[in-house]
């Protein structure tokens, strides 16, 4: 689809917007008792209710046309067939192979990758079973009680989010910790509670060169060696990387190095050996269930008609709001405390993938791309930022996520949680009209003058869009499906925006400058070549780094 084609489609979609501006959702629901049936879809047990959006059948049809015209189906096939759709890094994008449960070969660059994928999974199983059972012990002969994963970005966010989400499947005697920040406070505060004799470190880095990770790994190694001696290092370290020689050079035993491949992008790597700390925390079988849940979503994405395809529908709604309505942010609001890091995880998945401003051929894009993704679990958010979502000047399309069944039997918690999530999407959709506000204030006995001054503050505009994802329970399978759902949503949007969702050049400049600035921060070279702001900040730092005299 040519650039002009996309622009023309967005303009054409603008006509649907014009029509829908006069039909608030409140009215659409009143007129159509079947609106929920019309605008909801399922993938297995997972329900997507997208009826509370500013859409009708014509607008949705136009969005599906856009997806077809942009070549979504062809691009999906290219991804599955191992074409190098990550053009700027000349790589295939094959994270789906990591969780593939079928028996067909999956070729990448002429080679079936499934035997290698399964060999690494088998190694993860053997190793994690042995740690969990106490068969593999520490240098001091003790059973490991704590696992510290050292990684950052794609080598941290996925496993950290999943471990929290799957807390009901963890064991109290084997705790997972995640250290990512180069800020020494992170590793310091993590290690201060741990016993070197029972602590296992996983150094997780695709490249095994990332500065933050290597710095933290060095500090962890020093901490361990100071207490147990250098000879303890091989028993207390494992590594996950595509750079096997660098792991070996660090001193990690060959059978404790778990590989993956360059066709797995960092932010798509939770399914690879990067998931090792998950398997340690919840056991291999649950990790495996997480993979099969993702595969179930892959099969849905690959085979369901676009009109019934959850990731496609969610992707198109995102495009609709970003490009046609001009809404620049998207909130992810899980009513599931264990998904407390889900929005942070999706921030990377979405914003690093589609935060691009050139097309695949390197031309400036003529439309907005990735939205700002943010969110926190409900009900906490309700007592913080929901005010803006309900009554602020910006419209924030939101995804609500909630389970029908909690893991713990603690009435009335879950009923209250569910009542709240339903109330929020209803309130956003309905709003509260002036007449309703006036009637309510009258009923409270306020006089005319008081009503006049208070009413404007109590009106809710309503017509604010949201999706609700409802699932039976947050199991490993369901979590896998949810993560894969968002991956494919991001893919769908990347195709429509015609950007490379699989590179991340935007993170490079800061890294280069940090390298160049280190000697100036350490005071071994002068900062004359920097701008006055950077020089001023450095001067402040040098004047204050010693602390009070
Ligand atoms: C993700 C990015 C990035 C990456 C980190 C860590 O898609 O590539 O977040 O995961 O920079 O990289 P390493 O795993 O190589 O240490």
């Amino acid at each position: 689809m040519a650039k002009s084609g996309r622009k023309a489609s967005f303009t054409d979609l603008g006509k649907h917007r014009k029509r829908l501006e006069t039909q608030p959702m409140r009215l659409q629901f009143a007129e159509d008792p079947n609106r929920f049936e019309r605008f909801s879809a399922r993938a297995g047990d997972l329900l997507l209710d997208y009826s509370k959006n500013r859409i009708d059948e014509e607008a949705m049809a136009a969005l599906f046309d856009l997806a077809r015209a942009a070549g979504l189906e062809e691009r999906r096939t290219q991804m599955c067939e191992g074409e190098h759709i990550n053009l700027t890094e000349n790589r295939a994008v094959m994270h789906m192979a990591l969780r593939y449960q079928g028996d067909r070969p999956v070729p990448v660059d002429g080679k079936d990758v499934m035997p290698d994928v399964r060999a690494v999974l088998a190694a993860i199983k053997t190793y994690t079973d042995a740690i969990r059972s106490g068969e593999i012990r520490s240098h001091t002969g003790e059973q490991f009680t704590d696992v510290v994963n050292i990684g950052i970005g794609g080598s941290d966010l996925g496993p950290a989010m999943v471990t929290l989400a799957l807390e009901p499947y963890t064991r109290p005697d084997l705790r997972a910790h995640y250290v990512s920040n180069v800020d020494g406070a992170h590793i310091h505060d993590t290690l201060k509670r741990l016993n070197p004799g029972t602590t296992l470190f996983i150094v997780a880095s695709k490249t095994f060169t990332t500065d933050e990770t290597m710095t933290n790994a060095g500090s962890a190694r020093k901490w361990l060696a100071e207490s147990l001696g250098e000879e303890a290092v091989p028993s207390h370290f494992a590594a996950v990387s595509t750079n096997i020689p660098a792991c070996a050079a660090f001193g990690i035993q060959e059978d404790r190095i778990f590989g993956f491949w360059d066709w797995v992008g960092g932010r798509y790597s939770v399914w690879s050996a990067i998931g090792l700390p998950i398997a340690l925390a919840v056991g291999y079988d649950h990790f495996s269930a997480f993979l099969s849940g993702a595969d179930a979503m892959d099969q849905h994405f690959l085979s369901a008609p676009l009109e019934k395809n959850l990731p496609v529908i969610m992707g198109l709604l995102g495009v609709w709001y970003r490009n046609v309505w001009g809404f620049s942010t998207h909130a992810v609001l899980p009513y599931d405390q264990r998904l407390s890091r889900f929005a942070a995880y999706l921030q990377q998945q979405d914003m690093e993938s589609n935060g691009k401003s050139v097309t695949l051929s390197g031309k400036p894009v003529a439309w907005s791309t990735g939205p700002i993704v943010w969110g926190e679990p409900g009900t906490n958010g309700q007592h913080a930022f929901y005010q803006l979502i309900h009554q602020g000047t910006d419209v924030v399309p939101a995804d609500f996520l909630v389970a029908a069944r909690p893991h713990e039997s603690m009435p009335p918690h879950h009923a209250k949680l569910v009542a709240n999530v339903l109330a929020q999407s209803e309130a956003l959709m309905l709003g509260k009209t002036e007449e309703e506000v006036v009637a309510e204030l009258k009923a409270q006995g306020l006089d005319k003058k008081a009503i006049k001054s208070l009413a404007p503050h109590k009106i809710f505009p309503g017509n604010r869009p949201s999706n609700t994802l409802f699932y039976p329970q947050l199991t490993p399978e369901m979590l896998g499906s949810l993560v894969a759902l968002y991956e494919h949503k991001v893919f769908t949007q990347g195709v429509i925006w015609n950007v490379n969702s699989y590179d991340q050049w935007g993170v490079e400049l800061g890294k280069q400058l940090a390298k160049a600035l280190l000697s100036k921060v350490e005071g071994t070279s002068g900062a004359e070549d920097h701008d006055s702001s950077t020089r001023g900040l450095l001067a402040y730092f040098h004047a204050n780094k010693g602390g009070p005299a």
Side-chain angles (χ1 to χ4, degrees):
M1 189 187 204
K3 179 170 155 182
S4 56
R6 281 182 174 79
K7 269 200 97 173
S9 289
F10 295 144
T11 312
D12 184 48
L13 282 162
K15 293 181 195 139
H16 294 284
R17 168 187 166 165
K18 278 247 142 10
R19 192 186 64 258
L20 287 160
E21 273 170 347
T22 62
Q23 298 169 40
M25 285 184 250
R26 180 191 261 256
L27 188 73
Q28 290 178 314
F29 271 99
E31 284 176 354
D32 178 6
N34 293 324
R35 189 169 168 84
F36 169 77
E37 281 71 29
R38 216 180 290 286
F39 299 114
S40 58
R42 281 168 191 261
D45 284 346
L46 175 64
L47 168 71
L48 167 66
D49 171 18
Y50 63 102
S51 60
K52 292 186 186 109
N53 278 292
R54 296 179 179 182
I55 50 162
D56 62 6
E57 271 170 345
E58 274 179 74
M60 286 310 295
L63 286 166
F64 291 121
D65 285 349
L66 167 64
R68 291 199 169 88
L72 175 63
E73 289 149 307
E74 293 78 4
R75 202 103 190 108
R76 198 173 55 179
T77 308
Q78 287 171 356
M79 173 163 70
C80 290
E81 290 180 351
E83 277 189 40
H84 286 205
I85 64 166
N86 177 356
L87 290 176
T88 62
E89 295 180 316
N90 191 22
R91 287 176 184 162
V93 173
M94 291 302 292
H95 46 275
M96 280 194 285
L98 299 167
R99 58 226 190 186
Y100 178 55
Q101 307 289 308
D103 47 20
R104 278 182 291 109
V106 178
V108 179
D109 300 325
K111 183 185 168 218
D112 177 16
V113 296
M114 290 316 297
D116 286 350
V117 167
R118 295 204 170 109
V120 172
L121 285 175
I124 292 175
K125 175 169 168 46
T126 307
Y127 181 66
T128 55
D129 282 355
I131 297 277
R132 285 169 62 84
S133 68
E135 186 191 319
I136 294 184
R137 289 181 170 257
S138 76
H139 182 70
T140 53
E142 292 165 273
Q143 187 152 352
F144 287 109
T145 56
D146 294 89
V147 178
V148 181
N149 188 77
I150 298 175
I152 195 165
S155 300
D156 165 74
L157 284 161
M161 179 275 288
V162 171
T163 308
L164 275 176
L166 299 183
E167 168 69 24
Y169 302 86
T170 61
R171 280 186 358 198
D173 60 343
L174 187 58
R175 296 165 291 270
H177 312 265
Y178 291 86
V179 172
S180 52
N181 201 326
V182 77
D183 183 344
H186 202 176
I187 191 147
H188 174 271
D189 293 357
T190 305
L191 296 183
K192 78 176 181 195
R193 290 186 193 87
L194 302 185
N195 167 8
T198 59
T199 299
L200 175 69
F201 292 97
I202 300 172
V203 185
S205 174
K206 181 171 166 181
T207 53
F208 224 75
T209 57
T210 303
D211 196 34
E212 290 91 334
T213 301
M214 298 329 292
T215 305
N216 277 322
S219 300
R221 182 191 175 126
K222 187 162 169 261
W223 175 82
L224 187 89
E226 274 169 6
S227 155
L228 304 180
E230 265 298 318
E231 61 281 14
V233 169
S235 315
H236 286 254
F237 275 81
V240 181
S241 187
T242 56
N243 186 351
I244 311 295
C247 301
F250 186 91
I252 296 171
Q253 278 177 231
E254 205 184 315
D255 61 345
R256 293 177 189 189
I257 302 174
F258 301 86
F260 62 114
W261 307 273
D262 73 358
W263 42 263
V264 184
R267 57 192 170 276
Y268 297 91
S269 64
V270 66
W271 324 101
S272 71
I274 289 291
L276 183 70
I278 306 174
L280 280 167
V282 300
Y284 181 81
D285 289 348
H286 292 310
F287 178 62
S288 178
F290 171 65
L291 301 185
S292 42
D295 180 57
M297 181 54 70
D298 294 343
Q299 301 317 315
H300 168 83
F301 176 58
L302 298 176
S303 63
L306 300 192
E307 286 73 7
K308 300 255 168 244
N309 200 306
L310 269 57
V312 174
I313 294 169
M314 287 175 66
L316 290 174
L317 288 168
V319 167
W320 172 239
Y321 291 128
R322 189 81 184 98
N323 301 108
V324 185
W325 295 80
F327 304 152
S328 54
T329 87
H330 183 90
V332 179
L333 307 169
Y335 277 65
D336 202 319
Q337 179 58 28
R338 295 194 178 105
L339 290 180
S340 59
R341 293 294 288 161
F342 196 59
Y345 173 79
L346 291 184
Q347 260 170 353
Q348 181 191 27
Q349 190 193 87
D350 198 316
M351 293 166 77
E352 204 167 62
S353 296
N354 287 339
K356 310 283 162 70
S357 50
V358 293
T359 63
L360 283 171
S361 56
K363 305 267 168 15
V365 287
W367 41 80
S368 300
T369 62
I372 297 157
V373 176
W374 61 286
E376 281 287 324
T379 56
N380 296 4
Q382 289 174 210
H383 297 264
F385 54 78
Y386 277 38
Q387 164 63 40
L388 183 148
I389 303 185
H390 283 285
Q391 287 187 312
T393 49
D394 284 275
V395 173
V396 181
D399 293 346
F400 293 104
L401 292 93
V402 67
R405 214 166 49 244
H407 280 281
E408 45 292 306
S409 173
M410 294 181 69
H413 285 268
H414 200 67
K416 291 192 176 190
L417 186 72
V418 175
N420 271 282
V421 71
L422 298 181
Q424 288 301 323
S425 69
E426 194 175 39
L428 286 168
M429 183 273 282
L430 286 176
K432 201 185 235 183
T433 62
E434 190 174 355
E435 299 78 72
E436 287 166 339
V437 172
V438 170
E440 198 174 277
L441 294 177
K442 254 190 199 152
Q444 287 167 14
L446 269 72
D447 64 28
K448 257 202 167 143
K449 199 172 159 225
I451 292 177
K452 197 167 175 231
S453 73
L454 198 51
H457 300 277
K458 301 196 103 184
I459 294 168
F460 286 64
N463 206 30
R464 304 219 156 183
S466 67
N467 295 315
T468 298
L469 286 163
F470 226 135
Y471 40 90
Q473 193 176 38
L474 191 62
T475 58
E477 289 90 339
M478 186 49 69
L479 183 64
S481 289
L482 287 170
V483 176
L485 164 68
Y486 279 92
E487 285 181 350
H488 297 315
K489 173 197 162 182
V490 166
F491 172 85
T492 299
Q493 296 185 330
V495 172
I496 290 174
W497 290 324
N498 197 26
V499 297
N500 183 357
S501 303
Y502 299 100
D503 61 12
Q504 55 283 317
W505 299 106
V507 300
E508 293 303 322
L509 180 60
K511 279 193 210 168
Q512 277 169 13
L513 295 189
K515 233 183 216 157
L517 273 159
L518 185 59
S519 61
K520 290 137 200 196
V521 171
E522 289 178 336
T524 54
S525 68
E528 305 74 29
D529 48 338
H530 290 274
D531 59 84
S532 65
S533 163
T534 308
R535 285 202 312 271
L537 294 167
L538 275 169
Y540 179 90
F541 166 72
H542 286 300
N544 286 283
K545 67 185 179 195

